[in-house]
Amino acid sequence: LSGWSNYKFSSIEVITILKVLIGSKVLRKDEMQGIMRSVRMMLHQRAAGRVNSVYAEVDNYISPVHGKAILKMLEDLNRVISKRLKIDLHYIKGNGEQVTKRVLPLIFIFSDFYFYLIAFIDGSGYKYPAFLELTELKALMLLTSSTAKNCIKPIMPVKCGSACNLCMPENC
């Protein structure tokens, strides 16, 4: 990927990216606006006027009902996945039942208008990982290394606010 640091998007590339994001309806308005600002900085100056109508769509964008900070959740999960750490997930099943499961996250994906965490569930007996919808998560708890002697700290508050941080073993 050398040479990408100077790459500028064309107007149709920006329009396509923003239309896909707007159509997904998965991110909060403030997250959409942040992405819009970032993408705008990657746009050729001469093409900026051609995407104004899409910027207006983002201004009129309505946040999803879940109201969760998906980008922060994805950032935290990406850190956990890259370090191959287990977490406890507190989530709500389709029938409304609240459940806590210990999992080893593998990856997150976007499919059919939802982000999913793909993870192995401890003690499930299944050979294959489970797909867990991120908007159903209520809290994530990081399980640190054995040297931390069962230190468990929240990486996402119960209400899934946007100010969540990972607890690393050295902070326990």
Side-chain angles (χ1 to χ4, degrees):
L1 293 175
S2 62
W4 281 79
S5 60
N6 295 324
Y7 182 79
K8 295 289 185 183
F9 286 118
S10 69
S11 58
I12 195 62
E13 290 170 327
V14 168
I15 289 168
T16 302
I17 290 167
L18 293 177
K19 288 284 191 176
V20 168
L21 287 171
I22 290 167
S24 75
K25 294 278 189 194
V26 71
L27 302 175
R28 294 187 325 200
K29 185 173 184 171
D30 61 311
E31 293 174 314
M32 286 290 297
Q33 291 170 328
I35 289 174
M36 179 188 69
R37 282 189 299 274
S38 297
V39 170
R40 186 182 281 175
M41 291 178 5
M42 297 290 296
L43 180 65
H44 278 291
Q45 280 300 79
R46 65 178 183 265
R50 290 180 240 159
V51 297
N52 285 338
S53 63
V54 180
Y55 294 148
E57 286 183 55
V58 173
D59 288 338
N60 296 317
Y61 179 80
I62 297 172
S63 294
V65 175
H66 65 70
K68 295 180 180 172
I70 296 293
L71 291 179
K72 184 61 178 156
M73 197 182 311
L74 294 175
E75 179 182 32
D76 288 345
L77 284 170
N78 195 51
R79 287 187 204 153
V80 169
I81 291 166
S82 68
K83 294 179 183 286
R84 294 184 172 99
L85 300 172
K86 286 187 178 182
I87 57 176
D88 277 348
L89 292 180
H90 305 279
Y91 67 97
I92 299 177
K93 292 171 72 172
N95 63 6
E97 177 186 358
Q98 292 192 22
V99 179
T100 299
K101 298 281 184 186
R102 183 158 293 167
V103 302
L104 176 62
L106 301 175
I107 194 168
F108 58 83
I109 63 166
F110 182 78
S111 179
D112 298 328
F113 302 103
Y114 294 99
F115 277 102
Y116 294 91
L117 174 64
I118 301 174
F120 282 108
I121 299 175
D122 272 7
S124 70
Y126 293 113
K127 292 170 66 172
Y128 303 102
F131 285 61
L132 305 158
E133 186 184 325
L134 288 188
T135 57
E136 300 299 324
L137 297 182
K138 291 298 178 193
L140 308 174
M141 303 289 279
L142 177 64
L143 304 175
T144 60
S145 69
S146 58
T147 59
K149 305 274 186 190
N150 298 324
C151 170
I152 299 174
K153 300 237 177 157
I155 62 169
M156 186 182 337
V158 171
K159 295 191 179 185
C160 297
S162 60
C164 48
N165 294 305
L166 288 170
C167 166
M168 294 289 112
E170 60 272 13
N171 296 332
C172 295

